[in-house]
């Protein structure tokens, strides 16, 4: 799954870690207003781009706690937006891809289990985002149907 086109991806892949981190924060900040206004289509490019930057960063620095935070936050946030756009399969793919990436990169620290567990626990997503980004995450909504 990729949100940044190939042409722009090459540009960002050549940047240093600090530049990517700065773009990540800038894009996540840019998503805040459209997200709070429930303008999902306008929020997704910002968050999707941040997700791609986090993917680049984690492949370079799989053990860095900051990078693990950025990866998890952007995955949760992107998945949430896709859910609100009724793009459930892609929403799930973002989380699954991130879990696979964390397992594949095998961070040397035990912190990865915290991030992996958070990704698996949808009820923990809001608290995780709130504690790191100081923003409210609109909870995912499901239609409950009774069996009888």
């Amino acid at each position: 799954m990729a949100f940044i086109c190939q042409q722009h991806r090459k540009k960002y892949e050549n940047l240093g870690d600090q530049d990517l981190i700065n773009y990540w924060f800038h894009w996540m900040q840019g998503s805040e207003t459209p997200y709070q206004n429930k303008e999902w289509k306008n929020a997704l490019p910002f968050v999707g781009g941040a997700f791609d930057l986090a993917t680049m960063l984690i492949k370079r620095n799989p053990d860095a706690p900051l990078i693990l935070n950025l990866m998890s936050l952007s995955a949760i946030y992107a998945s949430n937006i896709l859910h609100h756009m009724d793009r459930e399969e892609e929403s799930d793919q973002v989380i699954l891809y991130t879990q696979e990436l964390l397992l594949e990169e095998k961070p040397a620290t035990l912190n990865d289990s915290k991030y992996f567990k958070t990704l698996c626990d949808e009820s923990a997503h809001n608290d995780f985002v709130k504690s790191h980004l100081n923003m409210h995450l609109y909870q995912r909504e499901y239609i409950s149907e009774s069996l009888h």
Side-chain angles (χ1 to χ4, degrees):
M1 169 158 279
F3 294 92
I4 299 175
C5 72
Q6 278 303 111
Q7 179 182 356
H8 287 103
R9 179 176 295 280
K10 289 180 192 279
K11 171 188 166 190
Y12 292 110
E13 285 175 343
N14 291 324
L15 294 177
D17 291 355
Q18 192 57 54
D19 289 330
L20 292 179
I21 291 168
N22 289 341
Y23 274 112
W24 188 94
F25 279 104
H26 178 71
W27 290 349
M28 291 294 276
Q29 185 179 27
S31 72
E32 187 174 4
T33 299
Y35 183 84
Q36 295 303 323
N37 292 331
K38 299 182 179 183
E39 298 168 353
W40 314 122
K41 285 174 84 173
N42 295 330
L44 185 61
F46 288 108
V47 177
F51 175 78
D52 283 352
L53 296 180
T55 300
M56 292 175 204
L57 284 162
I58 203 162
K59 289 181 179 181
R60 295 178 189 177
N61 306 290
D63 297 328
L66 172 63
I67 305 305
L68 291 165
N69 267 328
L70 301 182
M71 184 79 238
S72 300
L73 286 166
S74 52
I76 289 168
Y77 200 14
S79 175
N80 182 272
I81 290 170
L82 289 163
H83 163 77
H84 288 297
M85 295 174 73
D86 294 322
R87 294 165 60 177
E88 292 300 331
E89 188 173 323
E90 291 168 285
S91 175
D92 293 342
Q93 284 176 355
V94 168
I95 297 295
L96 292 171
Y97 174 77
T98 304
Q99 291 170 332
E100 290 171 7
L101 189 59
L102 292 175
L103 290 173
E104 178 183 305
E105 296 300 327
K106 296 183 178 84
T109 65
L110 293 177
N111 284 336
D112 65 317
S113 64
K114 173 179 93 171
Y115 299 102
F116 193 84
K117 288 177 186 174
T118 299
L119 289 166
C120 294
D121 182 5
E122 194 175 299
S123 65
H125 289 183
N126 187 47
D127 288 340
F128 188 75
V129 170
K130 196 175 204 175
S131 69
H132 290 86
L133 295 178
N134 196 28
M135 65 171 279
H136 170 75
L137 190 69
Y138 289 109
Q139 287 297 123
R140 295 166 70 103
E141 298 172 4
Y142 297 98
I143 299 170
S144 61
E145 296 179 17
S146 63
L147 296 175
H148 299 280

